[in-house]
C-alpha cells in the first residue's frame, strides 16, 4: 500500500472512526484503525465490537484531488498514535507507505514516522447488512430525537434492556422511548419510507451518544437500516453500525396517566432557573429533592431546606394553574433534564396527585412527552 | 448588617476571593467568605492561611452606585454555596441581611435564600503588613514573569524550598529563579522603587499561580510589599497576601555554564513543533526522552525510538550551528516548557557537551534564560 493524502481529510476521518475505538479492549487488534486503499479512495474502520464506524475518503471530490493511490493495499495502524501524529504533521500532504513486516512509513515534509502496524487480514469483519428496507431522517432531526430521549436511559446494568432507547417504527412513524424507571422520555417523528414496515428494537444509549457526536448539523438525510441484531446509520461517507440490545422492552404505555387533577402552564426557562437555584441546596441532601406547591393567583412556590446550609424559597408566576391544589416533591435533576429536552418556551405540566407520575409536554405539539415519578416527602 | 449590592460586582469579588479558599481546610471557618460592610463599601476576604485575598467593592465608583449600606456589620458566609447562589440569582440587584443567630437572608427578585452564617469575630485576622517600602511592576509584566518561571518549581516536597520561586531584588532589578534541580528558569526585570533596598525571598509556586489567575491583563502597577515572612501584592481593589517559604534558596549561579562548545540559532516555534511530534512516541517510554544530533549544512535531527510503537526522525533547518558536533538527549517536556516560556521567534541554545547542562535564551535579550540538564542515553 502506498498513497498520498490531504491531511485535513485524513484527520477528520480518523477523528470520526476513533469514536468507536475503546482504550480498553479485550481484542488487541481493535485498538487499531484499519485502513484500506483502493482506486476509488481510502476506507478507515474503527470498532469496539459493539459499535463499528467506517469512514470513506474519496480519491476525488468536487473536482479536487484528495487521495492519490500509488499502490492499493491495507494495514491496521495503532489508533491513538496515528490520530495524534496526523493532527501534528507539519504539511498539508501526507505520504503513507506500508513496508516489510507491516511497518508503516508516514512522511510529511521533513518528518518521518515509522509505526509498527498489524495485518489487516486479522481485523474482524464488519456485520454484513442487506439493505433491502431503509427509512430516512434528516440529520438534525435525528440528533434532536437522540438528545431528547437518550439522557433518560438507565445507567445501571440491573436491567440491561433499560440502558437502551426503544425505537419502534409503525404506520410511518418513529417512536423513541427511554426510561430508567424513575422518569421517562418519549419522542415521535414522521419518517420517510417506501414500504410500510414495522420494527421494534432497543439501541444502546452509548451508541446513540457516539452517533450524535459524529453527525454534522445538516438536514441531509441519514439512511437507517434495521436487522435482527444490528442497526446501521448511513450518511454520505460514513457507516455507523451498532449492535442492538437483546430482550423485550417493557410496555410503558400504561405508565403514562391519561387524566390529570392539576394542570400548570409555565415558562420553561423561568421554571428551569428556579429549580436550578433550589438545586444548589438540594444537591447537599442525599437525593437532590425540591418541593413544589401551588399558591393562589396562578403562582407556584419552589422550595428546599437543607438543615445544615439553610433554605431557599421562590415564587414563580405561571400562565395558568387549573384544578386541585398540590404539594409535590421530585428530583431537581430529573426536572432539569426534562425541561432541557423539551426546549419549548411554554409547557404544560399535568399532575395526578402527589404520589402519581406527572407529565410535561410542549404546549402545542404532542410529538414529545417527559414523565417524572415524584418522591414522597410531604 | 443590611445592604443592597449590584450582583455582577459581588460575583466578580466572590470569584476573586474564592481563589484563596480550599475545599479541604482544617479550620472550618476558613471554608467561608468574610463579608464586612462599612460606609465606604463592602470587603470580602478568603483565606487558606497560606494565601489570603481581600477584595473591596466601593459603595460608589465613577458616579455609579454599587452598594447601598443600610446597616454596617459583618458575617462569614459558606463560600461554595454563596458563590454559586450569587452566580444564579435572577436580578441585577441583591439584598443581603444578617438576621438572628447569624442567619443571612439573600434576596433577589422573588428568590429568597436563608444561609447559616458564622460570627465574623471568629475569623482569623489577616497578617498586618507595614507598608514602608514598596516596589512596583506593571500587572502584565508581573504575569509574564510568573508564567516564565513558575512552571520550573519542584512538585516534590523532598526539598520544600524548591517548590517556591526565588525573588531577589538588588540594584533596582528583580531576579526570579525557579528550579526543580533538573531544569531552571530565570527572568530579570527592572523595577520602580524609591529606596534602593535588597530582598531575597522564596514565594510558593502555588501562590504565584493563584495570583496570576486573579490579575487582569492591564498595565496598571501592582504594588509589592515584602516582609520577613509575608509578601503582599496590591492592586486597586485587591490585596493578595502569601506566606513566604522558610530557608535559604540554593545558590544556582554556579550551575549556569559560562562557556559553550556548540551554539545553535533556531526558530523556536519550528523546534517546538518537532519536539512535540517526537514526544508522541517519547511519552510511551518511561521518561519522555528525545534525541538531538547536529547534521551538516546547519541542520539538526530530532529523533525518538519506542521499540513497541515505532520511531520518528525529523530534520530541522537552523539559522546557524557553530562549534563542535553534538549528540544529546533530554526530556521533551522540559524542552517544550522552556520553549513556551521563552516566547521568542529566534533563540540561541548553547551546549557544553552531551553531559553538561545547556541553556536557551532569546537572541536579543539577556533578561531571561532557561537551563536543562541532559539525560544520558548516547
Amino acid at each position: 500500500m502506498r498513497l498520498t493524502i490531504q491531511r485535513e481529510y485524513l484527520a477528520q476521518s480518523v477523528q470520526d472512526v476513533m469514536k468507536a475505538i475503546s482504550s480498553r479492549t479485550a481484542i488487541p487488534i481493535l485498538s487499531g484503525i484499519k485502513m484500506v486503499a483502493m482506486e476509488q479512495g481510502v476506507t478507515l474502520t474503527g470498532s469496539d465490537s459493539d459499535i463499528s464506524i467506517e469512514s470513506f475518503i474519496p480519491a476525488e471530490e468536487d473536482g479536487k484531488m484528495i487521495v492519490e493511490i500509488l499502490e492499493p493495499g491495507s494495514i491496521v495502524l495503532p489508533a491513538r498514535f496515528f490520530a495524534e501524529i496526523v493532527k501534528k504533521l507539519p504539511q498539508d500532504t501526507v505520504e503513507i507507505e506500508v513496508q516489510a513486516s507491516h511497518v508503516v512509513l508516514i512522511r510529511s515534509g521533513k518528518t518521518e514516522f515509522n509505526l509498527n502496524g498489524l495485518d489487516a487480514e486479522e481485523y474482524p469483519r464488519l456485520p454484513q447488512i442487506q439493505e433491502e428496507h431503509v427509512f430516512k431522517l434528516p440529520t438534525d432531526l435525528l440528533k434532536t430525537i437522540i438528545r431528547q430521549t437518550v439522557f433518560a436511559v438507565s445507567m445501571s446494568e440491573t436491567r440491561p434492556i433499560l440502558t437502551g432507547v426503544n425505537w419502534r417504527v409503525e404506520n410511518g412513524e418513529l417512536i423513541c422511548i427511554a426510561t430508567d424507571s424513575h422518569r421517562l422520555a418519549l419522542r415521535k417523528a414522521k419518517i420517510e419510507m417506501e414500504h410500510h414496515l414495522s420494527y421494534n428494537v432497543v439501541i444502546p444509549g452509548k451508541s446513540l451518544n457516539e452517533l450524535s457526536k459524529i453527525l454534522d448539523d445538516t438536514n441531509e438525510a441519514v439512511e437507517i437500516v434495521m436487522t435482527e441484531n444490528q442497526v446501521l446509520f448511513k450518511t454520505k461517507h460514513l457507516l455507523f453500525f451498532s449492535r442492538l440490545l437483546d430482550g423485550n422492552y417493557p410496555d410503558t404505555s400504561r405508565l403514562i396517566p391519561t387524566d390529570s387533577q392539576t394542570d400548570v402552564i409555565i415558562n420553561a426557562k423561568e421554571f428551569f432557573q428556579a429549580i436550578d437555584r433550589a438545586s444548589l441546596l438540594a444537591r447537599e441532601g442525599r437525593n437532590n429533592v425540591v418541593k413544589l406547591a401551588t399558591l393562589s393567583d396562578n403562582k407556584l412556590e419552589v422550595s428546599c431546606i437543607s438543615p445544615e446550609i439553610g433554605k431557599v424559597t421562590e415564587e414563580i408566576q405561571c400562565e395558568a394553574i387549573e384544578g386541585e391544589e398540590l404539594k409535590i416533591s421530585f428530583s431537581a435533576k430529573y426536572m432539569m433534564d426534562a425541561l432541557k429536552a423539551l426546549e419549548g418556551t411554554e409547557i404544560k405540566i399535568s399532575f395526578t396527585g402527589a404520589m402519581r407520575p406527572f407529565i410535561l409536554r410542549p404546549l402545542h405539539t404532542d410529538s414529545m412527552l417527559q414523565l417524572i415519578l415524584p418522591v414522597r416527602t410531604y
Side-chain angles (χ1 to χ4, degrees), chain A:
Chain A
M1 190 184 94
R2 198 153 77 85
L3 57 90
T4 311
I5 189 164
Q6 294 299 308
R7 192 174 64 85
E8 63 177 300
Y9 285 84
L10 180 60
Q12 180 60 53
S13 231
V14 167
Q15 199 189 310
D16 284 347
V17 301
M18 282 296 283
K19 297 272 190 310
I21 296 174
S22 161
S23 53
R24 297 173 303 249
T25 170
I27 308 167
I29 203 164
L30 290 186
S31 68
I33 291 176
K34 185 168 84 160
M35 178 181 258
V36 178
M38 290 169 302
E39 203 185 320
Q40 306 88 321
V42 170
T43 305
L44 301 183
T45 307
S47 177
D48 69 355
S49 74
D50 284 346
I51 300 173
S52 302
I53 301 173
E54 201 176 289
S55 171
F56 178 68
I57 309 169
E60 207 185 303
E61 193 177 52
D62 304 330
K64 190 183 167 191
M65 181 83 142
I66 301 167
V67 192
E68 192 185 358
I69 307 287
L70 302 165
E71 196 185 310
S74 60
I75 190 75
V76 175
L77 286 148
R80 192 160 55 87
F81 290 101
F82 186 58
E84 293 200 63
I85 288 167
V86 169
K87 248 187 264 172
K88 293 191 168 168
L89 287 174
Q91 304 277 325
D92 291 342
T93 310
V94 182
E95 273 177 71
I96 300 177
E97 184 182 341
V98 177
Q99 300 176 322
S101 318
H102 308 300
V103 168
V104 187
L105 171 69
I106 301 162
R107 186 188 288 128
S108 179
K110 299 270 184 189
T111 307
E112 270 192 26
F113 280 87
N114 286 273
L115 287 186
N116 301 326
L118 292 166
D119 187 352
E121 292 300 312
E122 317 259 306
Y123 197 87
R125 309 224 163 259
L126 288 198
Q128 296 299 308
I129 289 190
Q130 286 211 319
E131 297 173 29
E132 276 183 58
H133 304 299
V134 304
F135 65 91
K136 292 182 188 178
L137 278 175
T139 307
D140 44 9
L141 176 59
L142 173 58
K143 288 181 77 164
T144 302
I145 291 172
I146 293 173
R147 188 175 61 74
Q148 291 178 332
T149 51
V150 76
F151 68 88
V153 301
S154 172
M155 293 298 138
S156 143
E157 286 292 333
T158 322
R159 288 180 71 189
I161 197 82
L162 296 187
T163 64
V165 181
N166 181 211
W167 279 40
R168 275 188 292 140
V169 173
E170 49 193 42
N171 307 321
E173 194 178 43
L174 170 69
I175 304 162
C176 299
I177 296 173
T179 180
D180 60 6
S181 74
H182 302 290
R183 37 100 175 255
L184 175 148
L186 179 150
R187 170 70 208 243
K188 298 180 193 175
K190 295 274 166 226
I191 52 178
E192 293 172 49
M193 65 194 305
E194 282 167 26
H195 305 269
H196 269 256
L197 289 164
S198 297
Y199 299 100
N200 188 342
V201 303
V202 184
I203 307 176
K206 182 173 175 297
S207 301
L208 293 169
N209 276 323
E210 295 302 333
L211 172 64
S212 192
K213 282 185 212 159
I214 216 177
L215 293 173
D216 297 331
D217 286 306
T218 65
N219 57 7
E220 278 182 46
V222 179
E223 290 186 6
I224 302 170
V225 189
M226 286 182 179
T227 71
E228 216 168 300
N229 51 21
Q230 289 279 334
V231 56
L232 165 61
F233 297 88
K234 282 179 73 174
T235 68
K236 198 171 170 201
H237 292 312
L238 215 61
L239 301 182
F240 184 103
F241 298 86
S242 168
R243 77 177 172 94
L244 298 173
L245 292 179
D246 282 336
N248 292 318
Y249 201 79
D251 176 17
T252 54
S253 58
R254 65 194 161 74
L255 277 179
I256 300 166
T258 46
D259 56 342
S260 74
Q261 290 173 5
T262 315
D263 287 310
V264 174
I265 295 173
I266 192 167
N267 180 292
K269 196 178 159 196
E270 281 175 30
F271 191 43
F272 178 89
Q273 289 171 343
I275 301 287
D276 190 17
R277 282 187 286 267
S279 166
L280 292 175
L281 299 191
R283 283 202 308 246
E284 279 303 293
R286 59 192 150 70
N287 46 12
N288 197 1
V289 169
V290 297
K291 294 183 181 189
L292 186 77
T294 52
L295 304 177
S296 55
D297 299 326
N298 290 335
K299 281 183 190 155
L300 280 181
E301 184 188 73
V302 173
S303 65
C304 178
I305 296 176
S306 158
E308 281 179 30
I309 312 300
K311 64 175 180 175
V312 50
T313 56
E314 176 147 357
E315 273 181 25
I316 311 165
Q317 184 65 53
C318 303
E319 205 111 319
I321 300 182
E322 282 169 17
E324 299 174 16
E325 280 185 19
L326 177 80
K327 286 186 177 194
I328 194 167
S329 297
F330 48 78
S331 152
K333 180 179 184 306
Y334 291 170
M335 180 55 87
M336 286 160 71
D337 284 348
L339 291 169
K340 262 189 270 183
L342 286 179
E343 72 182 1
T345 46
E346 301 301 303
I347 58 159
K348 182 175 177 178
I349 314 181
S350 304
F351 298 93
T352 332
M355 291 318 301
R356 298 281 311 279
F358 58 92
I359 56 179
L360 299 89
R361 305 180 209 258
L363 210 49
H364 303 294
T365 162
D366 68 345
S367 71
M368 58 189 124
L369 172 155
Q370 301 285 336
L371 174 146
I372 297 173
L373 265 72
V375 173
R376 188 191 299 263
T377 59
Y378 276 110

